[in-house]
Protein backbone atom coordinates (compact mmCIF):
# COMPACT_ATOMS: atom_id res chain seq x y z
CA UNK A 1 0.00 0.00 0.00
CA UNK A 2 1.31 3.42 -0.97
CA UNK A 3 1.36 5.96 1.86
CA UNK A 4 0.22 8.68 -0.54
CA UNK A 5 -3.00 6.74 -1.31
CA UNK A 6 -4.44 6.98 2.22
CA UNK A 7 -7.85 8.59 2.24
CA UNK A 8 -10.91 8.39 4.45
CA UNK A 9 -12.40 5.68 2.21
CA UNK A 10 -9.41 3.34 2.44
CA UNK A 11 -8.57 4.10 6.11
CA UNK A 12 -9.64 0.63 7.35
CA UNK A 13 -7.39 -0.96 4.72
CA UNK A 14 -4.48 1.29 5.77
CA UNK A 15 -4.98 0.44 9.45
CA UNK A 16 -5.07 -3.28 8.65
CA UNK A 17 -1.83 -2.87 6.70
CA UNK A 18 -0.18 -1.08 9.64
CA UNK A 19 -1.33 -3.76 12.09
CA UNK A 20 0.21 -6.42 9.85
CA UNK A 21 3.48 -4.47 9.56
CA UNK A 22 3.67 -3.97 13.34
CA UNK A 23 3.11 -7.69 13.87
CA UNK A 24 5.99 -8.50 11.53
CA UNK A 25 8.28 -6.00 13.27
CA UNK A 26 7.35 -7.43 16.68
CA UNK A 27 8.19 -10.94 15.46
CA UNK A 28 11.58 -9.78 14.14
CA UNK A 29 12.42 -8.12 17.46
CA UNK A 30 11.47 -11.24 19.41
CA UNK A 31 13.67 -13.39 17.17
CA UNK A 32 16.65 -11.04 17.64
CA UNK A 33 16.20 -11.08 21.44
CA UNK A 34 16.10 -14.89 21.51
CA UNK A 35 19.23 -15.08 19.35
CA UNK A 36 21.10 -12.56 21.54
CA UNK A 37 20.19 -14.36 24.77
CA UNK A 38 21.38 -17.70 23.35
CA UNK A 39 24.61 -16.10 22.14
CA UNK A 40 25.34 -14.57 25.55
CA UNK A 41 24.97 -17.85 27.44
CA UNK A 42 27.72 -19.66 25.51
CA UNK A 43 31.05 -19.77 27.39
CA UNK A 44 33.97 -18.02 25.71
CA UNK A 45 37.72 -18.39 26.10
CA UNK A 46 40.30 -15.85 27.14
CA UNK A 47 41.00 -14.69 23.57
CA UNK A 48 37.39 -13.63 22.98
CA UNK A 49 37.09 -12.23 26.52
CA UNK A 50 40.18 -10.14 25.83
CA UNK A 51 38.62 -8.72 22.66
CA UNK A 52 35.25 -8.17 24.37
CA UNK A 53 36.51 -6.11 27.31
CA UNK A 54 39.53 -4.59 25.57
CA UNK A 55 42.18 -5.85 27.98
CA UNK A 56 45.34 -7.83 27.31
CA UNK A 57 45.45 -11.50 28.29
CA UNK A 58 48.00 -10.93 31.11
CA UNK A 59 45.68 -8.28 32.58
CA UNK A 60 42.77 -10.71 32.49
CA UNK A 61 44.85 -13.40 34.19
CA UNK A 62 45.75 -10.89 36.92
CA UNK A 63 42.08 -9.91 37.37
CA UNK A 64 41.12 -13.60 37.65
CA UNK A 65 43.85 -14.21 40.26
CA UNK A 66 42.60 -11.22 42.26
CA UNK A 67 39.02 -12.50 41.87
CA UNK A 68 37.94 -9.16 40.40
CA UNK A 69 36.42 -10.56 37.21
CA UNK A 70 33.80 -13.32 36.87
CA UNK A 71 35.41 -16.46 35.48
CA UNK A 72 35.25 -20.24 35.50
CA UNK A 73 38.08 -22.75 35.42
CA UNK A 74 37.78 -26.26 34.10
CA UNK A 75 41.08 -28.09 34.21
CA UNK A 76 43.70 -25.63 33.05
CA UNK A 77 41.36 -23.59 30.85
CA UNK A 78 39.55 -20.37 31.80
CA UNK A 79 36.01 -19.66 30.63
CA UNK A 80 33.84 -16.56 30.76
CA UNK A 81 30.24 -15.68 29.91
CA UNK A 82 29.63 -12.60 27.80
CA UNK A 83 26.66 -11.39 29.86
CA UNK A 84 28.71 -11.58 33.07
CA UNK A 85 31.62 -9.68 31.53
CA UNK A 86 29.30 -6.99 30.17
CA UNK A 87 27.64 -6.70 33.59
CA UNK A 88 31.08 -6.47 35.23
CA UNK A 89 32.00 -3.63 32.89
CA UNK A 90 28.75 -1.77 33.58
CA UNK A 91 29.35 -1.93 37.35
CA UNK A 92 32.47 0.19 36.84
CA UNK A 93 30.49 3.08 35.32
CA UNK A 94 31.62 6.48 36.47
CA UNK A 95 28.82 8.94 37.14
CA UNK A 96 28.54 12.09 35.04
CA UNK A 97 28.58 15.49 36.68
CA UNK A 98 24.84 15.80 35.98
CA UNK A 99 24.15 12.49 37.75
CA UNK A 100 26.19 13.56 40.78
CA UNK A 101 24.49 16.96 40.92
CA UNK A 102 21.09 15.30 40.64
CA UNK A 103 21.91 12.97 43.53
CA UNK A 104 23.11 15.91 45.66
CA UNK A 105 19.91 17.86 44.96
CA UNK A 106 17.79 14.81 45.76
CA UNK A 107 19.74 14.17 48.98
CA UNK A 108 19.43 17.80 50.08
CA UNK A 109 15.73 17.84 49.26
CA UNK A 110 15.10 14.67 51.31
CA UNK A 111 17.29 15.96 54.13
CA UNK A 112 15.43 19.28 54.27
CA UNK A 113 12.10 17.45 54.17
CA UNK A 114 13.16 15.20 57.07
CA UNK A 115 14.59 18.19 58.98
CA UNK A 116 11.23 19.98 58.76
CA UNK A 117 9.49 17.07 60.51
CA UNK A 118 11.60 17.31 63.66
Amino acid sequence: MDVNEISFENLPKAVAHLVKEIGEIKLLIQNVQVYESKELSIPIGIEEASRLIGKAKPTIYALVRQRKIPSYKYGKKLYFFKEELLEWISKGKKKTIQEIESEVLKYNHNRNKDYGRK
Side-chain angles (χ1 to χ4, degrees), residues 7-20:
S7 66
F8 185 75
E9 290 80 30
N10 65 5
L11 193 57
K13 193 175 183 182
V15 170
H17 176 73
L18 289 174
V19 168
K20 179 184 172 209

Side-chain angles (χ1 to χ4, degrees), residues 13 15 19 40 88 94-95 98 103 111 115:
K13 193 175 183 182
V15 170
V19 168
L40 292 176
W88 174 75
K94 295 196 181 225
K95 294 180 182 177
Q98 289 93 355
E103 286 180 8
R111 189 171 164 215
Y115 182 72

Side-chain angles (χ1 to χ4, degrees), residues 68 70 84-95:
K68 290 185 175 180
E84 290 179 348
L85 292 176
L86 295 173
E87 184 181 331
W88 174 75
I89 291 170
S90 68
K91 285 181 181 176
K93 179 185 182 278
K94 295 196 181 225
K95 294 180 182 177

